[in-house]
């Protein structure tokens, strides 16, 4: 492999054929203006709409545009990780292909990177083209997660960001299967800063999000970065116990003063059902964590690469799947093998 380009742009793409040409034009124009060397890596997340063919056609004119095609749809987080795994730049920009993240911001990010920041993330000030409900849920999401998570996650920040090589290498060492990227980005630390921008509506195509996905995404975020829900049952149980003890004392006093009264059926039902409900909720919470433990312990690779066209050569890499071992070895056998 030759020299590292200055900038790698990693763009996960799932059925983005309708915006891809526009995306590449705009991004290339911006990158050319910076005067730096660059590569664009499209992480094709099992698209079925010709995204791959389109990318390869563009690549024939410009080999700086690379393609990593995953063996199926793995979801944005994994696609992004695959792109990062294959990126070589001294700094890497992660950006959506649908042009909701304006590539025009890249020069500003580069400037801050040159000033010594390792992570420059873009924070949106306005969310155009999003419903009030989506904005409200987003706001609420950050409030909840920051109340629970051990590390703060900046609000209104997506995946759009520039990372220095060492930040990328750090991030890529986190190989958990449940990839809550916002949390991972924050967890690695280093010098981080933000730039503001207005988020525009999608240029074309459809969002792949719906409320069910967003809900699961939130659960993902909470369970990946907080153990607090697990403590919930202990605290709640403790409270109930205190309450029960007080009530017991009350009954003893009441009975000694007023004699035995007829026990109330409704209050009994309420207590039983309420506690039953709480127990089920608690079981569910524990189940969420156990489910995650189970997927993590399988130690499966994060993804499989079907084809990769990278660098100047046109030969597809056929055997590359999870490139974890070769990625972080700073020297030694792994590197020799992977770069042979
Ligand atoms: N994406 C992906 N795999 C998926 C879903 C989405 O690689 O399974 C990509 C998609 O092509 C886009 C980015 O992730 O470049 C953001 O997706 P989308 O626009 O659907 O999400 P939103 O902008 O609504 O958060
Ligand atoms: Mg989008």
């Amino acid at each position: 492999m030759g020299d590292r380009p200055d900038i790698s742009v990693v763009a996960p793409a799932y059925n983005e054929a309708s915006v891809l040409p526009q995306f590449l034009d705009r991004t290339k124009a911006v990158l050319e203006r910076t005067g730096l060397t660059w590569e664009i890596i499209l992480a094709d997340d099992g698209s079925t709409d010709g995204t791959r063919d389109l990318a390869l056609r563009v690549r024939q004119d410009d080999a700086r545009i690379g393609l990593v095609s995953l063996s199926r749809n793995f979801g944005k987080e994994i696609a992004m990780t695959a792109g990062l795994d294959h990126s070589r730049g001294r700094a890497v920009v992660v950006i959506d292909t649908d042009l909701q993240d304006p590539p025009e911001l890249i020069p500003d990010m580069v400037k801050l990177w040159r000033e010594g920041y390792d992570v420059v993330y873009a924070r949106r000030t306005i969310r155009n083209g999003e419903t009030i409900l989506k904005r409200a849920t987003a706001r609420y999401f950050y409030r909840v997660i920051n109340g629970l998570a051990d590390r703060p996650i900046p609000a209104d920040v997506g995946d759009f960001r520039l990372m220095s090589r060492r930040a990328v290498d750090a991030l890529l060492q986190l190989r958990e299967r449940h990839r809550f990227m916002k949390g991972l980005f924050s967890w690695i630390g280093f010098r981080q800063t933000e730039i503001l921008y207005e988020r525009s509506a999608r240029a074309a195509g459809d969002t792949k999000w719906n409320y069910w996905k967003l809900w699961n995404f939130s659960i993902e975020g909470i369970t990946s970065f907080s153990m607090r829900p697990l403590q919930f049952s202990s605290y709640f149980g403790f409270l109930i116990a205190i309450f029960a003890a007080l009530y017991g004392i009350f009954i003893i006093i009441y009975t000694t003063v007023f004699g035995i009264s007829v026990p109330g059926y409704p209050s009994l039902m309420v207590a039983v059902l309420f506690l039953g409900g709480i127990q089920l909720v608690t079981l569910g919470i524990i189940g969420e964590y156990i489910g995650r433990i189970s997927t993590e312990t399988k130690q499966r690779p994060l993804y499989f690469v079907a084809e990769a066209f990278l660098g100047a050569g046109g030969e597809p890499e056929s055997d590359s799947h999870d490139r974890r071992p070769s990625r972080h070895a700073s020297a030694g056998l792994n590197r020799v093998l992977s770069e042979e």
Side-chain angles (χ1 to χ4, degrees):
M1 291 224 179
D3 291 331
R4 288 180 179 284
D6 295 319
I7 308 285
S8 295
V9 172
V10 168
Y14 179 48
N15 293 341
E16 300 286 7
S18 52
V19 271
L20 194 60
Q22 214 185 331
F23 167 78
L24 288 174
D25 284 348
R26 260 174 72 180
T27 310
K28 272 171 72 173
V30 169
L31 289 171
E32 289 296 21
R33 275 204 300 275
T34 60
L36 300 170
T37 54
W38 55 267
E39 65 176 0
I40 297 177
I41 296 178
L42 295 166
D44 164 25
D45 190 14
S47 303
T48 51
D49 71 339
T51 297
R52 168 198 174 272
D53 297 341
L54 197 68
L56 285 186
R57 224 172 304 139
V58 183
R59 179 179 163 76
Q60 292 191 328
D61 299 328
D62 194 340
R64 290 175 295 181
I65 293 167
L67 174 75
V68 177
S69 265
L70 303 188
S71 57
R72 63 169 171 87
N73 179 253
F74 281 90
K76 181 187 178 185
E77 278 68 35
I78 304 272
M80 199 157 52
T81 307
L84 288 170
D85 276 337
H86 290 81
S87 72
R88 295 176 304 127
R90 287 174 223 285
V92 182
V93 174
V94 180
I95 189 170
D96 282 3
T97 318
D98 60 7
L99 288 172
Q100 278 191 291
D101 305 332
E104 288 72 23
L105 243 53
I106 294 176
D108 294 337
M109 292 177 162
V110 168
K111 201 166 148 261
L112 286 164
W113 167 53
R114 290 235 160 125
E115 284 171 18
Y117 287 101
D118 286 282
V119 179
V120 185
Y121 53 81
R123 185 205 288 278
R124 356 174 226 271
T125 50
I126 301 182
R127 293 169 152 239
N128 287 321
E130 289 187 351
T131 59
I132 295 173
L133 189 59
K134 182 156 182 198
R135 280 182 231 184
T137 42
R139 188 158 4 104
Y140 204 66
F141 165 72
Y142 287 113
R143 204 166 298 164
V144 171
I145 194 139
N146 275 324
L148 291 172
D150 314 320
R151 285 211 45 87
I153 290 165
D156 291 330
V157 171
D159 300 321
F160 184 27
R161 64 188 58 224
L162 176 145
M163 282 174 284
S164 68
R165 179 41 57 187
R166 65 171 182 171
V168 173
D169 285 345
L171 183 77
L172 289 178
Q173 286 183 52
L174 312 180
R175 301 307 290 193
E176 54 216 74
R177 273 94 205 130
H178 290 276
R179 301 188 77 70
F180 182 68
M181 294 308 283
K182 289 176 209 288
L184 300 182
F185 284 140
S186 153
W187 192 86
I188 58 168
F190 294 113
R191 282 188 74 196
Q192 308 209 357
T193 188
E194 64 177 29
I195 51 177
L196 298 173
Y197 77 111
E198 283 183 20
R199 186 158 171 89
S200 45
R202 255 177 170 275
D206 285 320
T207 177
K208 280 100 199 167
W209 287 101
N210 55 43
Y211 281 101
W212 178 241
K213 276 196 181 175
L214 282 174
W215 168 254
N216 284 322
F217 180 72
S218 317
I219 302 273
E220 188 84 50
I222 293 167
T223 49
S224 301
F225 281 88
S226 173
M227 294 292 157
R228 229 148 278 170
L230 285 176
Q231 298 166 340
F232 160 85
S233 48
S234 333
Y235 290 122
F236 192 79
F238 190 64
L239 270 180
I240 292 283
I242 291 180
F243 178 76
L246 291 177
Y247 190 53
I249 294 170
F250 167 76
I251 288 176
I252 291 171
I253 296 172
Y254 192 88
T255 339
T256 29
V257 178
F258 297 102
I260 293 169
S261 65
V262 183
Y265 168 77
S267 56
L268 208 67
M269 269 321 269
V270 167
V272 168
L273 289 180
F274 182 67
L275 280 179
I278 291 293
Q279 279 169 359
L280 284 180
V281 168
T282 314
L283 266 183
I285 294 173
I286 296 173
E288 285 288 336
Y289 284 92
I290 293 183
R292 273 161 179 74
I293 295 173
S294 122
T295 43
E296 297 297 341
T297 48
K298 283 180 198 157
Q299 292 281 322
R300 287 188 186 154
L302 286 179
Y303 57 86
F304 287 107
V305 172
E307 314 169 276
F309 300 87
L310 296 162
E315 293 302 306
E317 289 175 38
S318 49
D319 64 333
S320 54
H321 38 271
D322 182 359
R323 312 218 327 177
R324 166 163 46 161
S326 65
R327 276 287 117 186
H328 319 293
S330 48
L333 187 61
N334 278 333
R335 188 172 204 87
V336 176
L337 286 176
S338 73
E339 301 197 339
E340 145 284 336

